[in-house]
Amino acid sequence: MNLQPVFTKIISTGSYLPAKILTNDDLSKIVDTSDEWIRTRSGIRARHIAADGEETSDLALIAAQRALEAAGLTATDIDLLVVATTTPDVIFPSTACIVQDKLGAKNAVAFDIQAVCSGFVYALSIVDKMVSTGGYKNALIIGAEIYSRILNWQDRTTCVLFGDGAGAVVLTRSDVPGILATKLYSDGSRRAILNVPGHVRNGVVYGDPHVHMDGPAVFKMAVNVMAEVCNETLAMANMTAADIDWLVPHQANTRIIDATGRKLGVAPEKTIVTVQGQGNTSAASIPLALDTAVRDGRIKSGDLVQTVGVGGGFTWGSALIRW
């Protein structure tokens, strides 16, 4: 029997940002900061904040619906649904199971991925393997976060950096390559430089349930590993950075994005940047940026797109995609 190879291809994107916008000037009224201080250190001008009644699954739902509409599929066509999030609705069930119910994706296997800001790349790598082995046909990956609820709004080193949102992609089985290569890494020994150390025990929160970050250490780590893993992923596909049409990095801040591009040798005009109006949306940042660039016409069929993420854990990884 002559078996044809099976590949995985992204066929659509979708996203959602909450209606409320919190500008740098707004932040300066609640914490000791200024628009100039935030912009020069991060490039961020504003971020979106979820409404009191919105949950992570609600953000994910709208992004998923928009991706399905763009793909020309219905919820029942999806047989694999993965949500990358650090801010689930509840401890359990998974946010993916909640989204499955709200979306009506009754035929989908659903589960969460927790790799913080690398979550979308982790999910992409896992789903690629699950689809390309022939077990699943149509998959939905969603990165969704509500970081505004785990921030200390008196800590100007962290609260100014993050925002809420969701992005989604639909992938399908294909006879032509789409996901060309992925590479993932973790290093738990570095967990102290970016974490939320609080936890719940016997109904009581122990420790601090807010984001803690050693900014300089995170910057140094991120810049070093992001360019390295991009080059490794390119080598796996026998390509170089010169082949990249678009670099879509995790949207942490413009300094990290710019430094990564320089180390990789990708021109700034080939890098998709959305952090200025969204802040760091963790696992949602890459699919949000993908959706922006697809819908405004920059990313087109046939383009070579490289995504790369790095986050608490520490986790990092890259995916090379033929659009």
Side-chain angles (χ1 to χ4, degrees):
M1 183 169 58
N2 183 23
L3 294 177
Q4 295 296 316
V6 177
F7 303 102
T8 308
K9 195 167 184 67
I10 295 175
I11 60 170
S12 72
T13 61
S15 65
Y16 172 71
L17 292 165
K20 180 180 178 180
I21 297 175
L22 187 69
T23 68
N24 292 346
D25 288 334
D26 294 331
L27 270 173
S28 69
K29 298 172 185 176
I30 62 175
V31 68
D32 182 18
T33 191
S34 68
D35 174 64
E36 188 273 339
W37 192 91
I38 299 169
R39 280 190 295 103
T40 56
R41 288 160 177 79
S42 69
I44 298 168
R45 297 175 180 272
R47 69 286 297 144
H48 293 252
I49 304 295
D52 289 343
E54 284 185 311
E55 300 294 341
T56 298
S57 62
D58 296 320
L59 277 58
L61 173 65
I62 299 174
Q65 290 170 330
R66 291 173 177 173
L68 285 172
E69 180 181 11
L73 298 177
T74 67
T76 54
D77 292 321
I78 300 298
D79 51 16
L80 179 59
L81 193 164
V82 179
V83 174
T85 187
T86 320
T87 54
D89 286 16
V90 291
I91 293 175
F92 74 85
S94 69
T95 301
C97 280
I98 298 171
V99 173
Q100 180 207 36
D101 176 48
K102 291 181 176 181
L103 186 62
K106 61 182 182 180
N107 298 319
V109 172
F111 60 89
D112 285 359
I113 292 288
Q114 215 289 39
V116 198
C117 304
S118 306
F120 179 78
V121 176
Y122 266 61
L124 199 60
S125 181
I126 293 167
V127 167
D128 173 48
K129 307 302 186 295
M130 294 179 72
V131 172
S132 62
T133 56
Y136 300 88
K137 183 180 180 182
N138 297 313
L140 177 62
I141 299 175
I142 311 164
E145 303 281 15
I146 299 182
Y147 257 64
S148 59
R149 294 175 189 164
I150 57 171
L151 298 174
N152 176 356
W153 288 97
Q154 297 306 309
D155 178 6
R156 72 172 186 171
T157 66
T158 56
C159 74
V160 302
L161 299 176
F162 295 90
D164 304 336
V169 298
V170 174
L171 306 91
T172 192
R173 193 184 306 163
S174 173
D175 57 3
V176 294
I179 310 302
L180 304 183
T182 63
K183 185 71 174 178
L184 305 176
Y185 283 101
S186 301
D187 183 356
S189 71
R190 299 172 187 254
R191 64 190 181 276
I193 65 175
L194 178 56
N195 61 34
V196 175
H199 61 280
V200 176
R201 184 188 303 161
N202 299 323
V204 178
V205 175
Y206 288 83
D208 190 341
H210 300 117
V211 173
H212 286 248
M213 182 174 67
D214 179 342
V218 169
F219 178 86
K220 182 178 179 180
M221 171 84 178
V223 171
N224 286 335
V225 302
M226 287 173 75
E228 288 176 1
V229 75
C230 281
N231 281 322
E232 287 184 74
T233 312
L234 286 163
M236 291 168 65
N238 296 313
M239 295 179 179
T240 69
D243 296 309
I244 298 172
D245 291 301
W246 297 105
L247 176 65
V248 186
H250 165 51
Q251 306 289 308
N253 66 58
T254 53
R255 291 171 62 238
I256 291 176
I257 292 170
D258 292 346
T260 299
R262 286 195 301 272
K263 289 196 71 171
L264 192 57
V266 174
E269 58 268 23
K270 289 188 173 184
T271 302
I272 306 298
V273 182
T274 57
V275 69
Q276 61 271 23
Q278 299 174 8
N280 181 343
T281 55
S282 189
S285 80
I286 291 175
L288 275 166
L290 285 172
D291 187 53
T292 297
V294 167
R295 292 179 185 262
D296 69 20
R298 279 178 289 178
I299 295 179
K300 300 177 293 294
S301 178
D303 283 354
L304 185 67
V305 177
Q306 180 149 42
T307 66
V308 59
V310 60
F314 238 74
T315 65
W316 64 100
S318 177
L320 192 64
I321 306 160
R322 180 67 69 186
W323 213 260

